[in-house]
Amino acid sequence: MKPAPAAKPPWRRRLLDEAKEIGVLTGYLFVTIAAVNVMKAAVLHDHGIHAAYWGVAIVKAALLAKFVMLGKALKVGEHKATDPLIWPTLHKAFAFLVLLVVLTGLEELVKGWIEDRSFTESLARMTGHRLTETLADILLLLLVLIPYFAFQVLAEALGEKRLVRMFLSDRHAFDDKKPGEPRA
């Protein structure tokens, strides 16, 4: 017999949880995007071009975080719970990578439409002479998504909020040993 599904928390609690999650995800993405942008700015600076991308990084991080939350709402990348944790981690990372690439492409097309560029001109801007940069950005995004989803899959396997409590409070709080006993 299947266990009864857990009752949904009140909408205010869900809203607060989602706001926290989008805040943490935006911060995580901002740090990674900003790091890449600093490296790009350093390379450009070596060639006499001065550029600062801080505003772009926070806007891009917030947009990608919103796309991830949309994907979660649509249950993108859901996988069997019986597989070893590496498989749902990679499955979610690749599924969300595809989602983010598609939605970012649509974002570029809309931006091109607003800037009165043609469809082909907008696509050329994304892939044309910047194809290697676009592919590098996609690879870096995958490398950012893997630890993010690894943390989530591990948290789901350990139980609700347990991994977070282990990270942010006493990591031995869930051991079977009594306080003060030596650990094996």
Side-chain angles (χ1 to χ4, degrees):
M1 201 166 159
K2 284 187 175 180
K8 273 187 164 178
W11 67 271
R12 287 184 181 142
R13 180 85 226 149
R14 288 194 322 259
L15 184 65
L16 184 61
D17 288 346
E18 285 187 23
K20 284 180 189 175
E21 186 174 357
I22 203 165
V24 168
L25 181 55
T26 299
Y28 175 65
L29 291 171
F30 172 71
V31 167
T32 58
I33 292 168
V36 170
N37 286 349
V38 166
M39 189 169 63
K40 285 179 184 180
V43 169
L44 290 173
H45 182 73
D46 286 347
H47 294 285
I49 303 168
H50 300 283
Y53 298 111
W54 296 110
V56 171
I58 192 66
V59 169
K60 190 69 172 175
L63 188 63
L64 288 175
K66 187 60 189 162
F67 288 164
V68 168
M69 295 304 287
L70 175 66
K72 284 183 175 190
L74 296 173
K75 300 192 183 306
V76 169
E78 292 297 315
H79 206 260
K80 290 188 289 187
T82 59
D83 289 342
L85 297 182
I86 187 67
W87 300 122
T89 297
L90 293 176
H91 184 79
K92 281 186 174 190
F94 278 103
F96 275 84
L97 177 68
V98 169
L99 176 72
L100 294 177
V101 168
V102 167
L103 291 177
T104 301
L106 288 173
E107 171 210 355
E108 286 295 326
L109 292 174
V110 169
K111 197 164 61 172
W113 177 70
I114 291 170
E115 294 172 356
D116 204 27
R117 287 192 313 257
S118 71
F119 176 79
T120 53
E121 204 176 350
S122 295
L123 282 179
R125 272 187 102 172
M126 289 187 307
T127 58
H129 65 282
R130 292 183 34 212
L131 181 59
T132 54
E133 184 180 346
T134 300
L135 292 175
D137 286 344
I138 290 170
L139 179 60
L140 287 170
L141 184 58
L142 175 63
L143 294 175
V144 167
L145 291 173
I146 289 173
Y148 174 74
F149 285 112
F151 189 86
Q152 283 200 332
V153 167
L154 184 57
E156 289 170 11
L158 288 174
E160 188 175 338
K161 309 286 187 205
R162 186 173 183 186
L163 184 61
V164 173
R165 289 192 309 255
M166 290 173 77
F167 260 89
L168 300 177
S169 62
D170 182 14
R171 70 181 175 154
H172 298 294
F174 302 100
D175 289 347
D176 291 335
K177 300 194 182 308
K178 293 180 180 149
E181 281 187 31
R183 305 207 185 277

